[in-house]
Amino acid sequence: MSVETATTESDTVRKILTAAGDTWAVVGLSSNTARAAYGVAAVLQRFGKRIVPVHPKAETVHGEQGYASLADIPFPVDVVDVFVNSEHAGPIADEAAAVGAKAVWFQLGVIDEAAYARTREAGLDMVMDRCPAIEIPRLG
């Protein structure tokens, strides 16, 4: 990765965390405390983000009502944080653009270059293979 690419990605991470908005749909978030999404959502809440659980079970997690899909959420979301296997992530990124999100965040290990390109072409900010729970404390 070139220095320019790293700087641009760091700028995008900062923009998503500080300027994209505070309503984060967390796709794959359930009440399973052993899953990474559960802990990351708690960190996002500690840093002032409203989390919206998105999971087929539509469970309430961390005090927030869950929804079965992004399309079921009856209010705007700013960022879609994706905790699903890479092969399922692309359609979620497409749905994020369709519901008017400003940014998509693919978690550590979630990589789909084609979805990244489509999402950026649709005008959304996006990062892949990063974790906001790691990045947000670095903002200072």
Side-chain angles (χ1 to χ4, degrees), residues 1 6 9 16 22-23 26 29 33 47-48 54 57 69-71 75 90 101 110 116 132 136 138 140:
M1 179 183 305
E9 185 165 311
I16 292 171
D22 290 334
T23 303
V26 184
L29 175 57
T33 59
F47 281 89
V54 179
K57 293 180 183 176
S69 71
L70 291 174
F75 49 83
V110 181
Y116 180 90
I136 204 166
R138 294 179 178 171

Side-chain angles (χ1 to χ4, degrees), residues 29-64:
L29 175 57
S30 71
S31 61
N32 182 345
T33 59
R35 304 289 299 182
Y38 190 89
V40 171
V43 171
L44 289 169
Q45 280 187 319
R46 274 199 308 276
F47 281 89
K49 307 300 182 188
R50 176 184 183 191
I51 57 106
V52 182
V54 179
H55 189 279
K57 293 180 183 176
E59 298 173 304
T60 296
V61 183
H62 297 305
E64 294 286 349

